[in-house]
Amino acid sequence: TAVITVANSLNQNYETTTSFSILINAQDNGNGNLSSQGVATITLIDQNEPPSIGNQQFSVNENSGNGTFVGNVLATDPDLGQNISFSIISGNTDNAFGINASTGTISVSNSGALNFELTPSYSLLVGVQDNGSGNLNSQAIVLISMNDINEAPIVNNQAFSVAENSPNGTYLGTIIASDPDVGQILSYSIQSGNTLGAFSIDALTGQLFVVNSSALDYELTSNFELEVQVQDNSIAGLADQALISVSLIDVNEYPIVSNQTFSVSEFSANGSSVGIVSAMDPDEGQTLLYAIVAGNVNNAFLINSSTGEITVNESLALNYQV
């Protein structure tokens, strides 16, 4: 009976050792226990093994432009000479990112999807596959966090209206504005277009008020175009502007007639012209009607209701001595 022993053994890893040379000792159990030795060569047959990839993390600024570099996904393959291909399997909402199949480089592919306030992070399931027998693959989570970046507030063009001659303090409306960044405080100001200081704006609320009633004259200025600025309270003080249109509503106003003086000779003949009353109306296109409502003793005078011309109606009533 022979006893065979192995004199040497190594780790069986093809990439480390492609073959084993082991010394074999064969010993009998006869008188003297004689033995002989020989070398046995064992060749390893290479087997394809899956690539290896671990969970990884990257970060990128929100609103970064398309093509912005995010990071390189790291992966290895135990098999020498293998090529690895990369792909995003899931979690890529709105196709925010792309991955280079050959290099594993992740870059931005949809800048509009990178909104910290809506999606502060993405968990991408990334797969790696080798080109060996069976195309073996592995997967890992690649977490991409959004860096919150201060963004400018948003204010759009808006329109309001107010009656002309409205008194000071009249409320017109509130400017609507927003800020993409949570917790920002906005301040409002009128930059231009506020002719004669007609309006004021509350810096904290954006409310518009009349502060100079006399400036609200439809016949002079029927519309105001206010450039309003909205600014956040960040260190950079980012701002946005919009045109706020304020239309005046035309209101019928009283005609204006001032005290006037005329003269006429006593006993002037009936129909003699005394003078034409001067009057005007602030509203364009208005027609005035004239009438004598008091003081016309003995109906001495007549007034033309259309022209305002005063004439003598009763000559005998024009007696200077009386």
Side-chain angles (χ1 to χ4, degrees):
T1 300
V3 177
I4 302 175
T5 59
V6 179
N8 188 24
S9 178
L10 299 175
N11 182 27
Q12 297 181 1
N13 184 327
Y14 178 84
E15 282 67 37
T16 303
T17 306
T18 60
S19 65
F20 294 85
S21 294
I22 57 178
L23 181 62
I24 303 296
N25 185 75
Q27 179 181 294
D28 66 20
N29 63 342
N31 185 27
N33 295 120
L34 301 180
S35 64
S36 296
Q37 295 179 343
V39 174
T41 300
I42 302 174
T43 301
L44 293 184
I45 300 172
D46 189 18
Q47 296 293 320
N48 188 32
E49 299 168 86
S52 176
I53 180 174
N55 295 341
Q56 296 163 58
Q57 294 186 15
F58 302 103
S59 65
V60 65
N61 292 341
E62 64 173 331
N63 307 320
S64 293
N66 291 344
T68 299
F69 171 78
V70 177
N72 285 321
V73 176
L74 299 178
T76 59
D77 195 290
D79 302 297
L80 297 178
Q82 292 274 24
N83 291 324
I84 300 175
S85 61
F86 299 80
S87 64
I88 299 174
I89 298 173
S90 64
N92 194 19
T93 306
D94 296 325
N95 293 315
F97 304 101
I99 191 169
N100 186 297
S102 300
T103 65
T105 297
I106 294 179
S107 57
V108 175
S109 63
N110 181 8
S111 176
L114 306 189
N115 188 330
F116 176 86
E117 286 69 32
L118 294 179
T119 310
S121 65
Y122 287 78
S123 291
L124 306 181
L125 179 63
V126 172
V128 289
Q129 178 175 294
D130 66 22
N131 64 335
S133 176
N135 296 122
L136 302 181
N137 62 79
S138 298
Q139 299 173 352
I141 295 295
V142 176
L143 179 67
I144 302 178
S145 300
M146 296 294 105
N147 297 325
D148 189 15
I149 302 299
N150 187 37
E151 300 164 274
I154 300 171
V155 57
N156 296 316
N157 295 344
Q158 295 163 56
F160 301 94
S161 62
V162 64
E164 65 173 329
N165 307 319
S166 292
N168 292 346
T170 299
Y171 169 73
L172 280 72
T174 300
I175 306 299
I176 298 174
S178 62
D179 197 292
D181 303 295
V182 176
Q184 293 276 23
I185 298 175
L186 301 180
S187 60
Y188 301 78
S189 61
I190 300 174
Q191 300 293 302
S192 63
N194 195 18
T195 305
L196 300 177
F199 307 102
S200 69
I201 191 169
D202 188 296
L204 295 178
T205 66
Q207 293 178 314
L208 276 175
F209 297 94
V210 174
V211 291
N212 182 8
S213 177
S214 63
L216 306 188
D217 188 335
Y218 179 87
E219 285 67 37
L220 294 178
T221 308
S222 61
N223 189 74
F224 292 78
E225 292 288 340
L226 308 179
E227 183 184 7
V228 169
Q229 176 172 284
V230 181
Q231 181 173 306
D232 66 22
N233 64 330
S234 66
I235 295 176
L238 300 183
D240 191 21
Q241 292 84 32
L243 284 179
I244 307 302
S245 176
V246 179
S247 301
L248 294 190
I249 300 171
D250 190 16
V251 175
N252 189 31
E253 299 168 271
Y254 288 100
I256 299 171
V257 57
S258 57
N259 296 338
Q260 296 163 56
T261 302
F262 302 98
S263 63
V264 63
S265 298
E266 64 178 333
F267 305 121
S268 291
N270 291 345
S272 298
S273 178
V274 177
I276 297 176
V277 174
S278 177
M280 57 85 65
D281 196 290
D283 302 297
E284 294 182 3
Q286 294 275 25
T287 299
L288 300 181
L289 296 176
Y290 299 84
I292 299 173
V293 294
N296 193 17
V297 178
N298 296 323
N299 293 317
F301 303 102
L302 284 177
I303 190 168
N304 187 297
S305 62
S306 299
T307 66
E309 182 181 15
I310 297 176
T311 56
V312 175
N313 180 60
E314 183 57 61
S315 175
L316 295 179
L318 306 185
N319 188 333
Y320 181 85
Q321 283 70 30
V322 175

